[in-house]
Amino acid sequence: MELGDKAVGFLLTVASLSIFTYYTFWVIILPFVDSDHFVHKYFLPQEYAILIPVLAGVVLLSFLSVFVGLVMLKSKKKKTT
């Protein structure tokens, strides 16, 4: 099982580094490249560079809040029985 854990860890590391590199290039370097350059067709418009992480954060916090709320409700029910 240890080999499987290492493979999953390696894949998660590669995925996170790829996303970080793509996002960094999109937000920091791309604004300085001419708008008619071919590389612009591989990226979404700049507005999404802020919108996507904000929406992801809101969704994450929503799921986290629902999870904590459900755990609190279940623990309250266990105490009463």
Side-chain angles (χ1 to χ4, degrees), residues 2-18:
E2 190 174 315
L3 183 61
D5 292 341
K6 286 184 179 181
V8 170
F10 178 74
L11 289 175
L12 287 174
T13 302
V14 168
S16 63
L17 285 174
S18 299

Side-chain angles (χ1 to χ4, degrees), residues 4-5 15 17 19 26 33 38 42-43 50 61 63-64 74:
D5 292 341
L17 285 174
I19 291 170
W26 183 25
V33 177
F38 76 93
Y42 298 111
F43 295 91
I50 301 299
L61 286 175
F63 281 128
L64 184 63
K74 285 185 180 181

Side-chain angles (χ1 to χ4, degrees), residues 22-23 26-27 43-56:
Y22 179 86
Y23 188 77
W26 183 25
V27 172
F43 295 91
L44 292 172
Q46 286 295 94
E47 295 82 27
Y48 291 107
I50 301 299
L51 187 64
I52 290 173
V54 167
L55 288 177

Side-chain angles (χ1 to χ4, degrees), residues 20-38:
F20 176 76
T21 304
Y22 179 86
Y23 188 77
T24 302
F25 188 81
W26 183 25
V27 172
I28 295 175
I29 297 172
L30 201 61
F32 298 107
V33 177
D34 291 334
S35 60
D36 58 345
H37 198 272
F38 76 93

